[in-house]
Amino acid sequence: MKTLKTFATMAAMLLCCVIVNAQTLVDGIYYSLNSSSATATVTYGSTKYSGDIVIPETITYGENVYTVTVIGTSAFNNCYNLKSITIPKTVTSIGSSAFSGCSALSSVYISSLEAWCNIPFSKYDNSNPLSYAENLYLNGNLVTDLEIPNTVTKIKDYAFKDFDYFTSVTIPESVTSIGEEAFNSVGCEVKFLSSTPATLASTSCFSSNAVL
């Protein structure tokens, strides 16, 4: 009996070590924390987000530092008063409906196009905040002429879906594939710097108005 109790206690302690809290509030943002991987997922809480939200690369909770790697499912769902969102380069995944209903969202701030192009967005559920925003900022600068860096080899599905505010797009020879509807609303000139064009997931990668 004593052995059984000891085992139960150890199991409970192990569970607590893996997941600290399903909703931990740090500097106005709710997180789910995983201490085994030292990572944090942005999630929703009892209060809707509004205004300008800046997601940091890391957060500190207690004596531990966590890297923010995920924006969870429905994290900003129906946050009607959300005006801008800053997403760090540490984020590698954005869940379904993460930005659904964010009708006032006007600006998205990022620090790495390479990281952005590698996020696997989904098609129908507004996981990509650019579906609403009219402005994309890279390191504080408004992006009008989009130049994909030569560190990018693949542009994932829906990377710039529904965003039609570029005046030009330049794709380097390092890019070997472009995902589904990645530039589906782009109506400007698109320059390929490679003599061998990247593989397109489908004809819907670019808008029919794009100048290829």
Side-chain angles (χ1 to χ4, degrees):
M1 187 70 172
K2 183 177 180 181
T3 302
L4 183 61
K5 288 183 178 180
T6 301
F7 177 78
T9 301
M10 291 178 63
M13 290 176 63
L14 180 61
L15 182 61
C16 288
C17 286
V18 173
I19 299 178
V20 175
N21 197 311
Q23 284 189 342
T24 301
L25 184 62
V26 179
D27 295 330
I29 300 176
Y30 293 93
Y31 299 93
S32 173
L33 306 179
N34 188 315
S35 61
S36 65
S37 60
T39 58
T41 297
V42 177
T43 185
Y44 54 84
S46 56
T47 303
K48 292 288 187 182
Y49 298 107
S50 62
D52 304 310
I53 297 295
V54 178
I55 301 173
E57 291 189 6
T58 63
I59 60 170
T60 300
Y61 184 74
E63 298 181 352
N64 300 314
V65 177
Y66 300 85
T67 301
V68 181
T69 59
V70 178
I71 297 176
T73 298
S74 301
F76 296 92
N77 183 45
N78 291 334
C79 291
Y80 304 115
N81 295 314
L82 180 67
K83 294 182 179 179
S84 74
I85 184 76
T86 298
I87 300 175
K89 61 186 177 183
T90 53
V91 168
T92 59
S93 176
I94 299 181
S96 61
S97 300
F99 292 93
S100 180
C102 295
S103 54
L105 181 62
S106 62
S107 300
V108 175
Y109 293 82
I110 63 174
S111 58
S112 170
L113 277 172
E114 180 180 4
W116 185 264
C117 289
N118 201 42
I119 295 175
F121 294 103
S122 54
K123 183 174 184 178
Y124 295 112
D125 52 20
N126 294 316
S127 62
N128 192 332
L130 292 180
S131 294
Y132 289 102
E134 298 177 358
N135 303 291
L136 174 64
Y137 291 87
L138 176 63
N139 294 316
N141 298 310
L142 179 65
V143 179
T144 53
D145 297 304
L146 176 66
E147 295 185 7
I148 303 296
N150 58 17
T151 52
V152 174
T153 58
K154 296 181 180 180
I155 300 175
K156 293 288 185 70
D157 294 348
Y158 319 112
F160 301 95
K161 176 178 167 58
D162 297 336
F163 191 80
D164 61 352
Y165 298 96
F166 297 131
T167 56
S168 70
V169 173
T170 302
I171 298 175
E173 57 184 340
S174 61
V175 173
T176 58
S177 68
I178 299 175
E180 187 80 23
E181 296 187 25
F183 297 95
N184 73 320
S185 292
V186 168
C188 62
E189 179 183 9
V190 179
K191 305 173 186 176
F192 289 92
L193 300 185
S194 174
S195 58
T196 305
T199 300
L200 305 183
S202 72
T203 56
S204 64
C205 291
F206 293 94
S207 165
S208 59
N209 295 321
V211 181
L212 303 178

